[in-house]
Amino acid sequence: MYDIVFISCQAPSADANYAALKARFPLAKRVDSTNGVYQAYITASKKCFTKMFWIVWDNLTISNTFDFSYIPDDWDENYIHVFENGLYFDGILLVPKKALVSQREIEYRFFSNKKEVDILASTPNIYDVVFISYQEPNADENYSKLLKKVPTAKRVNGVKGIHQAHIEAAKLSSSKMFFVVDGDADMCDDFTFDYQVPVWDETTVHVWRSINPINDLVYGYGGIKLFPRNETLIMDTTKPDMTTSISSKFNAVEETANITAFNTDAFSTWRSAFRECAKLSSKTILRQNDEETESRLNIWCTKGGERRCGDFAIAGANAGREFGLSNMADISLINNFEWLEAKFNDNT
């Protein structure tokens, strides 16, 4: 049997996962990646004395049916064998002792000299979920509903500034990526937080679709988001649209996760519509489709007046569009809630 090395990258499940591995394989070694994951790999290689060795990452749950007895054919011993990790081949590795592996290959678990082995060896640990609320009248109700779905969901409440609130959410998270649920998000019953991202794509922002209760638009506005933790911690807080400025990589997930129940009262409704339409009209959202943007903007400004607080949504949308089109507008003001409240009082 080949040597087994457990590499800890400070995942919160590391100790428990290593204990489970040791219970089955007492000779399994452990290396902590205090000097980076690539250096940990180099150390792991030096600790092993068989011609190939196993690498087990700390954020994996090993399948009960996987017993590390796999032995490749002689002509395959020069390949890095990558086993199924849930949906992707980015989990447990069987590495030739003499393999030349670059730092990038280890960090992204994407190897040029690899063989994908169609055996389910592990599943990844789920990502943290953080609920962010700031004066939404329905926040407590929505958080209680979320806790029934995800009992471990954390909460950031009352932090001033949208960017700052998300940075605090990133600090609460201990997984490489984390879900964000907004305070006015009424979760769909069938939505689950088991979405998996391959290691080589963990710097992408993923956004789910949400239903607008006033005008029936369905797109990323107010939707559940999955953010890369490190990129969120160092985001550019001067950008008016936070979601699209965290990373250069963005993925719109074609699944509806929630209703954005922002129409709880006059000001909340007006403010939400103003902010979104100011962003849409000013074209500050990176990588937006102009034709799609204009269509959404027109619907925001004209549809749903008969719905709950619909007249305030339309008023806010038109005021936001006018503000976004103004050459003198400081678009960063849309994240200043005191300024927005004064604007609301003047507008209504």
Side-chain angles (χ1 to χ4, degrees):
M1 183 173 173
Y2 301 122
D3 288 340
I4 302 173
V5 181
F6 179 92
I7 292 185
S8 172
C9 302
Q10 288 77 55
S13 57
D15 291 344
N17 287 346
Y18 181 56
L21 179 65
K22 287 281 285 185
R24 293 175 61 187
F25 304 99
L27 296 180
K29 307 173 178 68
R30 175 171 177 166
V31 174
D32 290 294
S33 62
T34 52
N35 294 319
V37 66
Y38 183 66
Q39 187 57 49
Y41 164 76
I42 298 298
T43 302
S45 177
K46 293 177 180 178
K47 283 179 173 285
C48 296
F49 302 99
T50 51
K51 63 181 178 180
M52 302 187 79
F53 64 97
W54 295 97
I55 290 181
V56 179
W57 307 99
D58 63 352
N59 64 338
L60 307 179
T61 300
I62 301 170
S63 170
N64 290 330
T65 59
F66 190 73
D67 62 2
F68 296 92
S69 62
Y70 179 87
I71 297 178
D73 294 320
D74 291 344
W75 53 84
D76 276 343
E77 288 181 346
N78 292 325
Y79 291 100
I80 296 171
H81 290 64
V82 187
F83 291 77
E84 281 187 72
N85 176 41
L87 299 175
Y88 302 103
F89 292 90
D90 63 351
I92 293 174
L93 307 177
L94 180 60
V95 184
K97 175 79 171 172
K98 60 182 179 181
L100 297 177
V101 183
S102 70
Q103 180 172 339
R104 182 179 178 83
E105 287 178 307
I106 284 293
E107 289 178 348
Y108 286 89
R109 298 187 206 169
F110 197 89
F111 304 93
S112 57
N113 182 35
K114 69 174 180 178
K115 178 177 181 177
E116 295 179 346
V117 183
D118 192 18
I119 297 175
L120 182 63
S122 62
T123 53
N125 294 343
I126 61 174
Y127 303 118
D128 288 337
V129 178
V130 184
F131 183 85
I132 296 180
S133 54
Y134 187 81
Q135 300 178 351
E136 296 88 355
N138 53 353
D140 290 345
E141 178 185 351
N142 290 334
Y143 183 49
S144 295
K145 185 174 180 179
L146 174 63
L147 287 174
K148 293 178 181 178
K149 189 183 291 286
V150 187
T152 58
K154 303 166 185 177
R155 183 174 182 176
V156 171
N157 184 43
V159 173
K160 188 175 180 180
I162 291 175
H163 298 81
Q164 289 71 26
H166 284 76
I167 290 172
E168 289 304 312
K171 291 178 181 178
L172 279 183
S173 174
S174 52
S175 53
K176 289 186 70 175
M177 304 190 77
F178 65 102
F179 286 100
V180 165
V181 180
D182 292 337
D184 56 12
D186 183 6
M187 300 295 306
C188 294
D189 291 338
D190 59 351
F191 181 78
T192 58
F193 290 89
D194 57 358
Y195 189 76
Q196 182 183 348
V197 177
V199 172
W200 54 84
D201 198 30
E202 287 181 334
T203 57
T204 296
V205 169
H206 303 262
V207 179
W208 278 257
R209 292 154 64 93
S210 177
I211 301 170
N212 187 311
I214 291 178
N215 55 41
D216 297 326
L217 280 169
V218 182
Y219 68 108
Y221 169 72
I224 306 303
K225 302 166 187 70
L226 180 63
F227 289 127
R229 180 180 184 273
N230 289 341
E231 282 73 11
T232 303
L233 288 171
I234 60 172
M235 77 166 85
D236 183 351
T237 59
T238 66
K239 301 289 186 181
D241 185 64
M242 182 211 63
T243 300
T244 57
S245 61
I246 286 176
S247 170
S248 61
K249 295 185 284 185
F250 182 89
N251 176 40
V253 182
E254 295 297 319
E255 179 186 1
T256 301
N258 65 288
I259 299 169
T260 306
F262 63 91
N263 58 331
T264 51
D265 60 82
F267 174 52
S268 296
T269 305
W270 185 94
R271 179 182 64 193
S272 298
F274 183 96
R275 295 184 67 252
E276 177 67 1
C277 291
K279 287 190 287 186
L280 290 172
S281 62
S282 63
K283 304 295 192 297
T284 59
I285 301 175
L286 299 178
R287 302 176 293 276
Q288 68 181 2
N289 179 298
D290 287 347
E291 183 177 349
E292 185 178 62
T293 294
E294 287 301 323
S295 174
R296 289 171 178 168
L297 188 59
N298 288 333
I299 291 172
W300 269 100
C301 291
T302 59
K303 303 295 183 183
E306 75 285 357
R307 304 281 178 88
R308 173 182 170 85
C309 296
D311 50 346
F312 289 99
I314 292 174
N318 281 283
R321 177 169 64 180
E322 181 181 351
F323 179 76
L325 291 173
S326 171
N327 291 330
M328 301 299 292
D330 177 3
I331 199 66
S332 67
L333 287 170
I334 66 172
N335 294 324
N336 183 326
F337 282 20
E338 287 82 5
W339 179 86
L340 285 169
E341 186 167 10
K343 191 79 171 174
F344 166 75
N345 292 331
D346 291 342
N347 185 258
T348 59

